[in-house]
Amino acid sequence: MTDDFTHLPDLAVRPLGGSVIWANDEFFAEKENLVNPGPAEYRPATFGHKGQIYDGWETRRHRGKPGDDAAIVRLGVPGVIRGIVVDTAWFTGNYPPEVSVSALAIDGYPTAEQIAERTDWVPLLDRVKVAGDCRTPFTVDDENRWTHVKLTMHPDGGVARLRVHGEGRPDPALLGLGPLDLAALENGALVLDCSNRFYSSPNQLLYPGQARVMGDGWETARRRDDGNDWVRIKLAGPGAIRLAEIDTSCFLGNSPGAASLTGFTSDGTEVEIMPRTDLLPDTRHRFALTPAGASVEEVRLDIYPDGGLARLRLYGELSA
């Protein structure tokens, strides 16, 4: 799945806690639309008092004002950025001809104004051309951990969505302070592969918070054979799992009948973490586990035979 960076989680999306904290201009359309989940929508001839309403971020036309327009996004999950998608959906005569993206790693909680004044932004994507009404992907070759990105339009216009795909990396200062969810995106866990992603992405299993609707989880197509569906997850690091939470909230007539957990050590040895166990619909199941003798660094969750889950939590401790 990681061969295509768009299969990686969007670290900036609103359900993960992403936020557009600042923009120098948002005259026609609000900056917050950049990180909304789902594709941008459009209703023709829908006018407000400032003009056509767009589901995106749009600035006014420059008139005698030099410079460019920019918006700053605080990533919901800080991490390593593998690729960026600039989506100009529905912007046809009002898109920016060029964009660039830069990043910062920020400690603490400075104000948006203080962040906007900083001059040490690191370029991730140099000034590149984009087209109107188009999703344009750009790979990023950088191994640093970032907390904020800045999208700059040259010189002005509108962008519908900004997607920042990558791998979560936790704040090292917060590790070792207590039990850790080894399967959380924000702690560095990552979906490596899955059997089926027909209805929704398995990345959502590892999101923070509770699912509000069925679409917030992972759901597979109905199987018509004797097999079962599964997802394989790289943990935040090698460790011992002491508590598993398998959440079927919002899945009523399509929850799995059962689930099991298998761990994998650094040399590929399989370790049973939780045997096949019956599940109930629309329920947060919590199972106390006896840690395996060796630390595991990957886990496969099998569901029987198919269906949907809202969240997976695997609480434990990282190995020394």
Side-chain angles (χ1 to χ4, degrees), residues 163-214:
R163 303 303 186 200
V164 184
H165 296 276
E167 303 166 27
R169 294 288 186 271
D171 183 347
L174 302 180
L175 295 178
L177 301 181
L180 189 72
D181 181 3
L182 300 176
L185 283 176
E186 57 190 346
N187 291 331
L190 180 69
V191 171
L192 297 176
D193 203 358
C194 71
S195 58
N196 186 279
R197 51 189 294 147
F198 185 85
Y199 286 109
S200 49
S201 169
N203 287 315
Q204 297 185 151
L205 284 174
L206 314 185
Y207 274 24
Q210 303 302 313
R212 297 169 299 169
V213 296
M214 191 168 60

Side-chain angles (χ1 to χ4, degrees), residues 84-89 91-92 94-101 125-138 151-162:
I84 292 168
V85 178
V86 178
D87 186 355
T88 57
F91 289 96
T92 54
N94 50 352
Y95 61 92
E98 296 178 315
V99 299
S100 61
V101 178
L125 182 64
D126 291 328
R127 191 163 169 163
V128 293
K129 295 184 182 297
V130 293
D133 196 22
C134 180
R135 293 179 70 255
T136 308
F138 301 98
L151 169 66
T152 302
M153 299 190 293
H154 307 282
D156 54 42
V159 172
R161 297 288 189 269
L162 176 67

Side-chain angles (χ1 to χ4, degrees), residues 246 256-261 274-280 285 287 302 304:
I246 300 177
S260 65
L261 291 166
M274 187 185 81
R276 181 166 173 165
T277 303
D278 290 342
L279 300 179
L280 296 174
H285 307 79
F287 303 107
D302 284 271
Y304 303 94

Side-chain angles (χ1 to χ4, degrees), residues 14 44 46 48 103 126 145-146 167 221 225 264 274 318:
R14 184 65 191 171
T46 305
D126 291 328
R145 175 183 181 268
W146 304 109
E167 303 166 27
D225 57 26
F264 298 86
M274 187 185 81
L318 292 171

Side-chain angles (χ1 to χ4, degrees), residues 8 12 14 51 80-81 83 99 114 119 189-190 198 209 216 233 242 265 271 303 308 318:
L8 296 170
R14 184 65 191 171
V80 176
I81 298 170
V99 299
Q114 291 172 327
T119 59
L190 180 69
F198 185 85
D216 287 348
I233 298 161
R242 300 186 180 276
T265 65
V271 179
I303 58 174
L318 292 171

